[in-house]
Amino acid sequence: MASKSSSNIPLIIFSLLLLLSTAVNLAAGHSTEKKKECICLREDKDEHAGEKLDKNILNYKIGSIFLILAASGLGVFLPIIGKNIPSLHPDKTGFFLVKAFAAGVILCTAFIHILPEAFSNLTSPCLGEDSPWASYPITGLAAMGGAIFTLMMDSFATRYFRNAHGGGGGGGGGGGADEEAKDVHHHGHGGSTVVPVGLSQVDLIRYRVTSQVLEMGIVVHSVIIGLSLGTSQSLDTIKPLMAALCFHQFFEGVGLGGCIVQAAFKSASTFCMALFFSLTTPVGIAIGIGIANVYDDSSPTALIVQGLLDAVAAGILIYMALVDLLAQDFMNPKVQNNSRLFFGANLTLLLGAGFMAVLAIWA
């Protein structure tokens, strides 16, 4: 049952992406109908710019699609390919260090890259001083809602599969551990997945839920930042954004790829999830290029849609990074009982968060 639902997740997330694209197009349509009488932060769009400059901008945008696709693909597939390297197996020291670094990247992305943008959008003067968005901290509410929703989904899914497998993983008699070990090896059979030694059925399900929810949170933000680049009309904005997004997507991909490996999906599901992540930002850029002439990122509808999506995505990623990635690994007896691994994990966590914090200068 778990493998069937897991293999359907790319389709579910793809439906989410279609809904997101529709919402943004609606935002673009609203922006052409109504002009605002407020001071908004806009990019200078020179309607009389030369054809050569327009072509140059378009070339950079098209080039960014392929560059970011390559960076995203390299990041997410690196842990998946690396599982064949003994030192990067999910039960080895190197994997814990890579995962801690990636968790730092994801946590910093939520706090420094996504959440401030959500606050900026939902408190913009373009929404009007009398609007409920200006009088109530809706950004915090949406972020909290994303975190609580993720917790509930995580706990309900774990509870469901625990009950479905007879309360597995509780350590209570009946040879449960042996049965779980057989069941886990059965799930991994026939594919090139690596199942961590001693992994229980409940832990396996938890890892799968974690990787799926994490991908959903990352995908929402990835499409939005792709739209930002695709609709930009300034080379001074596009050039540094391209470089920053390549690093951004690479390290986010490493974090997601590590979770996918730990979840021990079958090869087809693993490939679909990794490919889907790789395509989200390039698709966002392509949509942005298509609507660049009519899209107004300071229209009320666009600000509300992007702000809410960013806030919810930040809540999801904060919960996932702290609870499902960091707390789970840092409280693992293997990390707690190994001083070098413990301090190494703390160091790589700080390096990952620090690296993404520096990138916030450009993106």
Side-chain angles (χ1 to χ4, degrees):
M1 180 186 295
S3 352
K4 280 187 180 180
S5 63
S6 300
S7 62
N8 289 332
I9 196 66
L11 180 60
I12 295 172
I13 302 180
F14 184 69
S15 301
L16 176 67
L17 179 59
L18 288 177
L19 289 173
L20 175 60
S21 302
T22 303
V24 174
N25 276 291
L26 283 173
H30 279 268
S31 69
T32 58
E33 293 171 7
K34 192 174 182 180
K35 299 295 181 181
K36 300 157 292 305
E37 296 179 355
C38 62
I39 299 173
C40 305
L41 294 176
R42 302 171 182 264
E43 290 189 41
D44 293 331
K45 296 183 181 180
D46 186 358
E47 294 179 359
H48 304 288
E51 187 179 342
K52 183 177 180 181
L53 179 60
D54 291 339
K55 281 188 175 180
N56 205 18
I57 290 174
L58 183 59
N59 288 339
Y60 269 98
K61 290 181 181 180
I62 293 173
S64 70
I65 291 177
F66 295 100
L67 282 175
I68 294 173
L69 176 62
S72 302
L74 181 62
V76 74
F77 280 103
L78 197 60
I80 295 171
I81 297 171
K83 68 188 177 183
N84 298 314
I85 302 172
S87 61
L88 292 179
H89 280 188
D91 58 334
K92 299 294 183 181
T93 299
F95 187 83
F96 279 96
L97 296 178
V98 170
K99 197 174 170 190
F101 180 91
V105 168
I106 291 169
L107 186 62
C108 184
T109 296
F111 274 115
I112 296 182
H113 292 254
I114 306 180
L115 202 53
E117 187 69 22
F119 273 106
S120 176
N121 286 339
L122 294 179
T123 57
S124 170
C126 296
L127 297 180
E129 295 181 0
D130 299 328
S131 71
W133 310 96
S135 59
Y136 187 84
I138 294 177
T139 308
L141 179 66
M144 181 183 70
I148 292 176
F149 173 75
T150 307
L151 167 66
M152 293 174 68
M153 188 190 307
D154 205 356
S155 60
F156 281 140
T158 302
R159 175 184 171 84
Y160 171 78
F161 286 109
R162 186 190 297 271
N163 292 337
H165 290 87
D178 292 338
E179 289 301 317
E180 285 172 358
K182 289 177 184 176
D183 199 9
V184 170
H185 284 293
H186 173 71
H187 279 292
H189 191 69
S192 57
T193 56
V194 176
V195 181
V197 176
L199 188 67
S200 71
Q201 175 71 15
V202 173
D203 286 339
L204 179 65
I205 296 302
R206 183 171 177 78
Y207 286 144
R208 290 183 172 182
V209 172
T210 295
S211 61
Q212 292 165 2
V213 176
L214 181 61
E215 176 155 16
M216 182 173 64
I218 290 175
V219 158
V220 170
H221 176 58
S222 294
V223 174
I224 291 175
I225 58 178
L227 278 168
S228 299
L229 195 155
T231 55
S232 176
Q233 298 297 324
S234 168
L235 280 179
D236 291 337
T237 300
I238 293 172
K239 288 179 180 179
L241 195 56
M242 281 175 59
L245 289 185
C246 283
F247 286 104
H248 184 281
Q249 292 302 106
F250 173 79
F251 288 114
E252 269 197 348
V254 170
L256 178 62
C259 290
I260 293 174
V261 168
Q262 204 166 25
F265 287 105
K266 290 185 177 179
S267 298
S269 295
T270 297
F271 179 79
C272 285
M273 291 183 71
L275 181 63
F276 189 79
F277 164 78
S278 303
L279 291 172
T280 49
T281 300
V283 166
I285 296 172
I287 294 173
I289 292 173
I291 65 174
N293 291 330
V294 294
Y295 180 74
D296 182 3
D297 59 0
S298 59
S299 72
T301 310
L303 289 168
I304 292 170
V305 170
Q306 291 191 17
L308 287 175
L309 288 173
D310 267 341
V312 172
I316 292 174
L317 295 183
I318 289 169
Y319 173 86
M320 299 301 294
L322 289 175
V323 178
D324 282 333
L325 300 180
L326 292 173
Q328 195 173 73
D329 283 351
F330 276 58
M331 300 306 166
N332 189 312
K334 182 166 185 173
V335 176
Q336 290 284 317
N337 298 330
N338 186 330
S339 296
R340 290 181 63 185
L341 178 56
F342 178 79
F343 288 107
N346 278 275
L347 178 61
T348 53
L349 166 63
L350 293 175
L351 287 174
F355 188 83
M356 286 305 293
V358 172
L359 276 183
I361 297 172
W362 300 281

